[in-house]
Amino acid sequence: MRQEGKYPVRDYMELWKAHRDLHGLAYGPFTTEGESWYRLRQALNQRLLKPTEAALYTDALNEVIDDFMVRLSQLQAESASGDQVPDIAHHFYHFALEAISYILFEKRIGCLERSIPQDTRTFIRSIDLMFKNSVYSTILPKWTRSVLPFWKRYLDGWNTIFSFGKKLIDQKLEEIEAQLQTGGPDGVQISGYLHFLLTSGQLSPHEAMGSLPELLLAGVDTVGEGGRRGDQGLPAPILNQFPIIPHLSLIFVPPEIPPHFVSHSTSQTSNTLTWALYHLSKHPEIQAALHKEVMGVVPAGQVPQHKDFAHMPLLKAVLKETLRLYPVVPVNSRVITEKEIEVGGFFFPKNTQFVLCHYVASRDPSIFPEPESFRPERWLRKSQTDTLRVQHPFGSVPFGYGVRACLGRRIAELEMQLLLTRLIQQYEVALAPETGEVKSMARVVLVPSKKVGLRFLQRQC
């Protein structure tokens, strides 16, 4: 990864490009390569990449979290026990989608309402449709596309995703036009992310149409509604059985085999929060310590702000440890296009694709002692011991590395920190009796093998 060059190639994304080419759409951040990608990425980085820029969205995220907490109370009241939510990942998914839509498009799309609007429900289903059928479309030969239904379903999924994005972009363009007609150029008030990109000239509407839907997918789980059912996945430990370069957790992939399944970027929010609450429920002593930390910084009745997290090392450690155990994208890749390189004493020609197995590296006992244990303290500097100290800078890289790392990392970290703080502030979280042991499963991303039911017990302050 340190040899990736100025314009790193993650994967050629031919399947995604085929849809864009078929409909005359601009390539986005996951489909563009080379100097064009670099220019696009530089534009998209603005107002997202730096922690201080992500902090600008704190109020917007807290607004969405307020609605999520209301929805959570409604779900509890609907349960027989009055405190249970049977499938928390499903509702975190809706939260993540609502949050990223609000940030990117400056529009609320109703994911947290009791009755989700029809166009939003159709959009959610289309994400799952596209990703499920992309697996079949990748594996099957091209001649089957006119015979079998998978290619058409794949295209239909993308068409709905882009139609949804186009509607939101068109609404923003109409708002800008109305402001221009009312007050001229000086009357345009630059508000959120999309408004900034369009009014500052960073992106044309055509480029925004190609980029924003891809960013929207990167901001939520690519799991969809069926990703936790265990029907189309592999147990995550199978990743440990891939042939690798010894001690490097790297798979050598010949250039003619493009593993599209490793290339989808995703926000960490939905699955990471599910796993975090699952482990906090199984480790009440860690949950109690986290509650003490949270209440010491943000007492009951107060809303957390970005600046508060500098004083919550355990909160950050819980999320880091969760991402170590369950990197949402369990593998990542780079195609070295410029020259042959040496890795671990092995020489590889240019145009070789390497796949870094995050899941394997982050559970390697030579890097993380007691790798299967949930031990957030390993990330706390003051309490680190020689037996738990993190051993390698690339041991856990859930957001990727370098100039092609996750564009939404700071937003994902902020929304997880804000929501987890609110939940721990207000509730003691326990496993629902029927949940039992939950394993991870490798699908397009790493997901729980079954529904995670939780009890949210109101704290008495």
Side-chain angles (χ1 to χ4, degrees):
M1 285 188 143
R2 285 174 172 160
Q3 302 181 65
E4 63 185 10
K6 185 177 182 180
Y7 310 128
V9 178
R10 178 166 39 207
D11 183 79
Y12 292 111
M13 304 297 286
E14 296 299 338
L15 210 62
W16 287 31
K17 290 178 181 178
H19 171 265
R20 310 302 187 267
D21 293 342
L22 191 62
H23 295 279
L25 295 165
Y27 288 174
F30 302 123
T31 41
T32 307
E33 300 296 346
E35 188 174 348
S36 297
W37 166 82
Y38 186 79
R39 184 193 67 80
L40 179 62
R41 178 66 188 243
Q42 292 299 107
L44 296 173
N45 281 350
Q46 299 182 62
R47 294 212 172 186
L48 279 186
L49 201 59
K50 297 178 182 178
T52 53
E53 293 169 336
L56 299 173
Y57 302 106
T58 301
D59 290 343
L61 288 171
N62 274 327
E63 180 184 328
V64 178
I65 290 170
D66 286 341
D67 290 343
F68 178 83
M69 299 300 284
V70 171
R71 182 68 185 128
L72 186 65
S73 297
Q74 294 170 349
L75 294 166
Q76 290 174 274
E78 293 168 3
S79 70
S81 63
D83 58 22
Q84 191 166 320
V85 177
D87 185 4
I88 192 62
H90 172 84
H91 301 288
F92 281 149
Y93 175 83
H94 285 181
F95 160 76
L97 179 54
E98 186 74 18
I100 195 62
S101 297
Y102 199 26
I103 288 172
L104 291 181
F105 298 101
E106 307 153 53
K107 295 289 183 182
R108 298 294 299 271
I109 60 173
C111 289
L112 300 177
E113 296 176 9
R114 278 183 180 270
S115 178
I116 298 175
Q118 179 60 45
D119 60 342
T120 299
R121 283 190 281 127
T122 301
F123 169 69
I124 292 171
R125 286 195 299 269
S126 73
I127 297 174
D128 192 44
L129 180 73
M130 185 276 290
F131 276 110
K132 279 184 176 179
N133 286 280
S134 70
V135 176
Y136 299 115
S137 297
T138 299
I139 296 171
L140 293 170
K142 289 185 178 180
W143 66 262
T144 65
R145 293 178 178 180
S146 61
V147 180
L148 299 177
F150 308 115
W151 178 245
K152 183 179 184 303
R153 291 173 185 168
Y154 167 76
L155 294 178
D156 288 345
W158 268 126
N159 290 340
T160 303
I161 291 167
F162 272 85
S163 176
F164 189 81
K166 183 178 186 302
K167 180 189 72 172
L168 297 174
I169 292 171
D170 286 346
Q171 289 175 356
K172 178 54 62 177
L173 288 171
E174 289 173 3
E175 291 177 11
I176 295 172
E177 180 63 27
Q179 290 178 0
L180 282 169
Q181 291 181 358
T182 302
D186 294 335
V188 177
Q189 301 296 318
I190 297 179
S191 51
Y193 185 68
L194 177 59
H195 204 148
F196 166 75
L197 291 175
L198 292 173
T199 57
S200 64
Q202 298 290 329
L203 293 183
S204 68
H206 181 65
E207 290 171 321
M209 186 62 223
S211 295
L212 270 293
E214 289 189 7
L215 288 182
L216 185 59
L217 290 189
V220 296
D221 261 318
T222 54
V223 178
E225 299 306 312
R228 297 172 300 279
R229 306 298 184 252
D231 55 343
Q232 293 189 26
L234 295 172
I238 287 179
L239 292 171
N240 287 313
Q241 300 175 24
F242 289 151
I244 63 172
I245 300 174
H247 312 300
L248 292 177
S249 298
L250 284 172
I251 300 173
F252 160 62
V253 182
E256 67 272 14
I257 304 178
H260 297 287
F261 67 91
V262 304
S263 304
H264 304 306
S265 177
T266 177
S267 166
Q268 319 294 319
T269 305
S270 173
N271 280 324
T272 303
L273 286 174
T274 300
W275 287 119
L277 292 183
Y278 171 76
H279 278 285
L280 289 172
S281 298
K282 296 184 68 174
H283 297 84
E285 73 287 355
I286 299 176
Q287 186 176 168
L290 180 58
H291 177 251
K292 181 179 179 180
E293 178 182 87
V294 166
M295 297 303 289
V297 179
V298 188
Q302 294 187 18
V303 176
Q305 299 297 318
H306 179 266
K307 60 181 176 59
D308 295 325
F309 301 119
H311 309 290
M312 296 188 192
L314 181 57
L315 180 84
K316 292 181 178 179
V318 165
L319 293 171
K320 283 183 178 181
E321 181 70 348
T322 303
L323 286 166
R324 178 190 71 81
L325 285 167
Y326 309 101
V328 177
V329 181
V331 286
N332 204 340
S333 71
R334 289 291 186 272
V335 181
I336 306 301
T337 60
E338 297 178 2
K339 60 182 179 180
E340 64 178 34
I341 64 168
E342 177 185 357
V343 181
F346 296 85
F347 287 90
F348 297 92
K350 64 180 181 179
N351 294 322
T352 296
Q353 182 169 26
F354 296 91
V355 179
L356 172 64
C357 299
H358 301 296
Y359 183 92
V360 176
S362 63
R363 291 176 182 250
D364 185 337
S366 68
I367 300 175
F368 293 100
E370 302 178 40
E372 303 298 323
S373 299
F374 182 73
R375 301 289 296 273
E377 64 268 26
R378 74 174 83 240
W379 300 98
L380 300 176
R381 293 181 180 178
K382 291 184 179 180
S383 64
Q384 276 188 356
T385 65
D386 289 338
T387 58
L388 279 181
R389 185 174 291 116
V390 177
Q391 302 291 327
H392 198 289
F394 285 87
S396 180
V397 282
F399 294 98
Y401 173 80
V403 294
R404 199 139 198 172
C406 176
L407 179 61
R409 172 180 181 170
R410 301 304 179 186
I411 300 295
E413 290 175 333
L414 179 60
E415 66 182 3
M416 288 190 292
Q417 291 164 357
L418 288 167
L419 182 50
L420 185 56
T421 297
R422 293 280 287 277
L423 291 170
I424 294 300
Q425 183 189 56
Q426 189 167 334
Y427 296 107
E428 178 184 350
V429 185
L431 283 178
E434 67 274 12
T435 297
E437 193 72 15
V438 181
K439 303 293 184 180
S440 55
M441 179 182 72
R443 195 171 174 246
V444 174
V445 291
L446 201 66
V447 300
S449 59
K450 60 180 181 179
K451 295 179 183 180
V452 177
L454 296 173
R455 298 179 65 201
F456 291 86
L457 309 173
Q458 188 73 43
R459 294 186 184 273
Q460 303 301 317
C461 300

Short mmCIF file of all heavy atoms in Angstrom, two decimals, residues 15 129-141 144-157 232:
data_model
loop_
_atom_site.label_atom_id
_atom_site.label_comp_id
_atom_site.label_asym_id
_atom_site.label_seq_id
_atom_site.Cartn_x
_atom_site.Cartn_y
_atom_site.Cartn_z
N LEU A 15 -17.98 -3.88 -13.92
CA LEU A 15 -19.43 -4.06 -13.86
C LEU A 15 -20.14 -2.74 -13.62
O LEU A 15 -21.19 -2.47 -14.20
CB LEU A 15 -19.77 -5.07 -12.76
CG LEU A 15 -21.02 -5.92 -12.97
CD1 LEU A 15 -20.87 -6.79 -14.20
CD2 LEU A 15 -21.29 -6.79 -11.74
N LEU A 129 -30.95 -5.16 -4.30
CA LEU A 129 -31.12 -5.80 -5.59
C LEU A 129 -29.85 -5.69 -6.42
O LEU A 129 -29.38 -6.67 -7.03
CB LEU A 129 -32.29 -5.15 -6.33
CG LEU A 129 -32.63 -5.69 -7.73
CD1 LEU A 129 -33.29 -7.06 -7.62
CD2 LEU A 129 -33.55 -4.71 -8.47
N MET A 130 -29.26 -4.50 -6.45
CA MET A 130 -28.07 -4.28 -7.26
C MET A 130 -26.91 -5.13 -6.76
O MET A 130 -26.22 -5.82 -7.53
CB MET A 130 -27.70 -2.79 -7.26
CG MET A 130 -26.53 -2.44 -8.17
SD MET A 130 -24.89 -2.69 -7.42
CE MET A 130 -24.89 -1.38 -6.19
N PHE A 131 -26.65 -5.12 -5.45
CA PHE A 131 -25.50 -5.84 -4.94
C PHE A 131 -25.67 -7.35 -5.03
O PHE A 131 -24.73 -8.07 -5.38
CB PHE A 131 -25.22 -5.43 -3.49
CG PHE A 131 -24.38 -4.18 -3.39
CD1 PHE A 131 -24.92 -3.00 -2.93
CD2 PHE A 131 -23.05 -4.19 -3.77
CE1 PHE A 131 -24.17 -1.85 -2.85
CE2 PHE A 131 -22.28 -3.04 -3.70
CZ PHE A 131 -22.84 -1.87 -3.24
N LYS A 132 -26.86 -7.85 -4.74
CA LYS A 132 -27.07 -9.29 -4.86
C LYS A 132 -26.83 -9.77 -6.29
O LYS A 132 -26.16 -10.78 -6.52
CB LYS A 132 -28.50 -9.64 -4.42
CG LYS A 132 -28.70 -9.75 -2.92
CD LYS A 132 -30.12 -10.19 -2.62
CE LYS A 132 -30.32 -10.40 -1.12
NZ LYS A 132 -31.72 -10.81 -0.81
N ASN A 133 -27.38 -9.06 -7.24
CA ASN A 133 -27.28 -9.49 -8.63
C ASN A 133 -25.92 -9.17 -9.25
O ASN A 133 -25.57 -9.75 -10.28
CB ASN A 133 -28.42 -8.89 -9.44
CG ASN A 133 -29.74 -9.56 -9.13
OD1 ASN A 133 -30.05 -10.63 -9.63
ND2 ASN A 133 -30.54 -8.94 -8.28
N SER A 134 -25.17 -8.27 -8.64
CA SER A 134 -23.81 -8.02 -9.14
C SER A 134 -22.92 -9.24 -8.93
O SER A 134 -22.01 -9.49 -9.71
CB SER A 134 -23.21 -6.80 -8.44
OG SER A 134 -22.91 -7.06 -7.08
N VAL A 135 -23.19 -10.00 -7.87
CA VAL A 135 -22.41 -11.22 -7.62
C VAL A 135 -22.61 -12.20 -8.78
O VAL A 135 -21.64 -12.73 -9.34
CB VAL A 135 -22.82 -11.86 -6.28
CG1 VAL A 135 -22.09 -13.18 -6.08
CG2 VAL A 135 -22.53 -10.92 -5.12
N TYR A 136 -23.87 -12.45 -9.15
CA TYR A 136 -24.14 -13.37 -10.25
C TYR A 136 -23.62 -12.82 -11.58
O TYR A 136 -23.08 -13.57 -12.41
CB TYR A 136 -25.65 -13.61 -10.36
CG TYR A 136 -26.25 -14.23 -9.12
CD1 TYR A 136 -27.18 -13.52 -8.35
CD2 TYR A 136 -25.90 -15.51 -8.71
CE1 TYR A 136 -27.74 -14.07 -7.21
CE2 TYR A 136 -26.46 -16.08 -7.58
CZ TYR A 136 -27.38 -15.35 -6.83
OH TYR A 136 -27.92 -15.90 -5.71
N SER A 137 -23.78 -11.51 -11.79
CA SER A 137 -23.34 -10.91 -13.05
C SER A 137 -21.83 -10.95 -13.20
O SER A 137 -21.31 -10.95 -14.32
CB SER A 137 -23.84 -9.46 -13.13
OG SER A 137 -25.25 -9.42 -13.13
N THR A 138 -21.11 -10.97 -12.09
CA THR A 138 -19.66 -11.06 -12.13
C THR A 138 -19.21 -12.47 -12.48
O THR A 138 -18.30 -12.67 -13.28
CB THR A 138 -19.06 -10.64 -10.78
OG1 THR A 138 -19.42 -9.30 -10.49
CG2 THR A 138 -17.54 -10.77 -10.78
N ILE A 139 -19.85 -13.44 -11.87
CA ILE A 139 -19.41 -14.83 -12.02
C ILE A 139 -19.82 -15.43 -13.36
O ILE A 139 -19.05 -16.14 -14.00
CB ILE A 139 -19.99 -15.68 -10.86
CG1 ILE A 139 -19.42 -15.20 -9.52
CG2 ILE A 139 -19.69 -17.16 -11.07
CD1 ILE A 139 -20.08 -15.83 -8.32
N LEU A 140 -21.03 -15.12 -13.80
CA LEU A 140 -21.55 -15.76 -15.01
C LEU A 140 -20.96 -15.13 -16.27
O LEU A 140 -20.67 -13.94 -16.30
CB LEU A 140 -23.08 -15.62 -15.04
CG LEU A 140 -23.83 -16.39 -13.94
CD1 LEU A 140 -25.31 -15.99 -13.94
CD2 LEU A 140 -23.70 -17.90 -14.15
N PRO A 141 -20.80 -15.92 -17.33
CA PRO A 141 -20.27 -15.36 -18.60
C PRO A 141 -21.25 -14.35 -19.20
O PRO A 141 -22.46 -14.41 -18.97
CB PRO A 141 -20.12 -16.59 -19.49
CG PRO A 141 -20.99 -17.63 -18.89
CD PRO A 141 -21.02 -17.37 -17.42
N THR A 144 -24.76 -15.00 -20.92
CA THR A 144 -25.96 -15.33 -20.13
C THR A 144 -26.81 -14.10 -19.83
O THR A 144 -27.94 -14.24 -19.34
CB THR A 144 -25.57 -16.01 -18.81
OG1 THR A 144 -24.84 -15.06 -17.99
CG2 THR A 144 -24.71 -17.24 -19.04
N ARG A 145 -26.30 -12.91 -20.07
CA ARG A 145 -27.01 -11.70 -19.67
C ARG A 145 -28.35 -11.53 -20.38
O ARG A 145 -29.27 -10.95 -19.81
CB ARG A 145 -26.12 -10.47 -19.90
CG ARG A 145 -24.91 -10.45 -18.99
CD ARG A 145 -24.00 -9.26 -19.24
NE ARG A 145 -22.88 -9.25 -18.31
CZ ARG A 145 -21.92 -8.33 -18.29
NH1 ARG A 145 -21.94 -7.34 -19.19
NH2 ARG A 145 -20.94 -8.40 -17.41
N SER A 146 -28.44 -12.02 -21.60
CA SER A 146 -29.71 -11.91 -22.32
C SER A 146 -30.63 -13.10 -22.05
O SER A 146 -31.79 -13.09 -22.49
CB SER A 146 -29.44 -11.81 -23.83
OG SER A 146 -28.77 -12.98 -24.29
N VAL A 147 -30.13 -14.09 -21.32
CA VAL A 147 -30.90 -15.31 -21.08
C VAL A 147 -31.39 -15.40 -19.64
O VAL A 147 -32.56 -15.72 -19.39
CB VAL A 147 -30.04 -16.56 -21.42
CG1 VAL A 147 -30.84 -17.84 -21.16
CG2 VAL A 147 -29.56 -16.51 -22.86
N LEU A 148 -30.50 -15.10 -18.71
CA LEU A 148 -30.82 -15.18 -17.29
C LEU A 148 -31.23 -13.80 -16.76
O LEU A 148 -30.87 -12.77 -17.34
CB LEU A 148 -29.61 -15.73 -16.51
CG LEU A 148 -29.16 -17.14 -16.91
CD1 LEU A 148 -27.91 -17.55 -16.15
CD2 LEU A 148 -30.28 -18.16 -16.70
N PRO A 149 -31.95 -13.74 -15.63
CA PRO A 149 -32.52 -12.46 -15.17
C PRO A 149 -31.56 -11.56 -14.40
O PRO A 149 -31.90 -10.41 -14.14
CB PRO A 149 -33.66 -12.92 -14.26
CG PRO A 149 -33.19 -14.23 -13.71
CD PRO A 149 -32.43 -14.88 -14.82
N PHE A 150 -30.37 -12.06 -14.04
CA PHE A 150 -29.53 -11.34 -13.08
C PHE A 150 -29.01 -10.01 -13.61
O PHE A 150 -28.95 -9.02 -12.88
CB PHE A 150 -28.36 -12.23 -12.63
CG PHE A 150 -28.80 -13.58 -12.15
CD1 PHE A 150 -28.45 -14.74 -12.84
CD2 PHE A 150 -29.60 -13.70 -11.02
CE1 PHE A 150 -28.87 -15.98 -12.39
CE2 PHE A 150 -30.01 -14.94 -10.57
CZ PHE A 150 -29.65 -16.08 -11.27
N TRP A 151 -28.62 -9.97 -14.89
CA TRP A 151 -28.07 -8.74 -15.45
C TRP A 151 -29.12 -7.64 -15.49
O TRP A 151 -28.85 -6.50 -15.11
CB TRP A 151 -27.51 -9.01 -16.84
CG TRP A 151 -26.97 -7.80 -17.54
CD1 TRP A 151 -27.43 -7.22 -18.67
CD2 TRP A 151 -25.82 -7.02 -17.16
NE1 TRP A 151 -26.67 -6.13 -19.03
CE2 TRP A 151 -25.67 -6.00 -18.12
CE3 TRP A 151 -24.91 -7.10 -16.10
CZ2 TRP A 151 -24.64 -5.05 -18.05
CZ3 TRP A 151 -23.89 -6.16 -16.03
CH2 TRP A 151 -23.77 -5.15 -16.99
N LYS A 152 -30.32 -7.97 -15.90
CA LYS A 152 -31.40 -6.98 -15.95
C LYS A 152 -31.72 -6.49 -14.53
O LYS A 152 -31.95 -5.29 -14.32
CB LYS A 152 -32.64 -7.56 -16.60
CG LYS A 152 -33.78 -6.55 -16.74
CD LYS A 152 -35.00 -7.15 -17.41
CE LYS A 152 -36.09 -6.09 -17.61
NZ LYS A 152 -36.49 -5.45 -16.35
N ARG A 153 -31.76 -7.38 -13.57
CA ARG A 153 -32.03 -6.98 -12.19
C ARG A 153 -30.93 -6.06 -11.67
O ARG A 153 -31.19 -5.09 -10.95
CB ARG A 153 -32.15 -8.21 -11.29
CG ARG A 153 -33.38 -9.07 -11.55
CD ARG A 153 -33.31 -10.34 -10.73
NE ARG A 153 -34.42 -11.26 -11.02
CZ ARG A 153 -34.46 -12.51 -10.61
NH1 ARG A 153 -33.45 -13.01 -9.90
NH2 ARG A 153 -35.51 -13.27 -10.91
N TYR A 154 -29.70 -6.39 -12.03
CA TYR A 154 -28.56 -5.55 -11.63
C TYR A 154 -28.71 -4.14 -12.20
O TYR A 154 -28.58 -3.14 -11.48
CB TYR A 154 -27.27 -6.20 -12.12
CG TYR A 154 -26.05 -5.31 -12.06
CD1 TYR A 154 -25.42 -5.04 -10.85
CD2 TYR A 154 -25.53 -4.73 -13.22
CE1 TYR A 154 -24.30 -4.22 -10.79
CE2 TYR A 154 -24.42 -3.91 -13.18
CZ TYR A 154 -23.81 -3.66 -11.96
OH TYR A 154 -22.70 -2.85 -11.91
N LEU A 155 -29.01 -4.04 -13.49
CA LEU A 155 -29.19 -2.73 -14.12
C LEU A 155 -30.38 -2.00 -13.53
O LEU A 155 -30.32 -0.78 -13.31
CB LEU A 155 -29.36 -2.90 -15.63
CG LEU A 155 -28.16 -3.43 -16.41
CD1 LEU A 155 -28.53 -3.59 -17.88
CD2 LEU A 155 -26.94 -2.52 -16.26
N ASP A 156 -31.48 -2.73 -13.28
CA ASP A 156 -32.66 -2.10 -12.70
C ASP A 156 -32.36 -1.52 -11.33
O ASP A 156 -32.85 -0.43 -10.98
CB ASP A 156 -33.80 -3.12 -12.59
CG ASP A 156 -34.41 -3.48 -13.93
OD1 ASP A 156 -34.16 -2.75 -14.91
OD2 ASP A 156 -35.14 -4.50 -14.00
N GLY A 157 -31.55 -2.23 -10.54
CA GLY A 157 -31.17 -1.71 -9.23
C GLY A 157 -30.42 -0.39 -9.35
O GLY A 157 -30.74 0.59 -8.67
N GLN A 232 -26.91 -15.97 1.79
CA GLN A 232 -26.02 -15.85 0.65
C GLN A 232 -24.62 -15.46 1.09
O GLN A 232 -23.94 -14.68 0.44
CB GLN A 232 -26.55 -14.81 -0.34
CG GLN A 232 -27.84 -15.24 -1.00
CD GLN A 232 -28.22 -14.30 -2.13
OE1 GLN A 232 -27.38 -13.65 -2.72
NE2 GLN A 232 -29.50 -14.25 -2.42
#
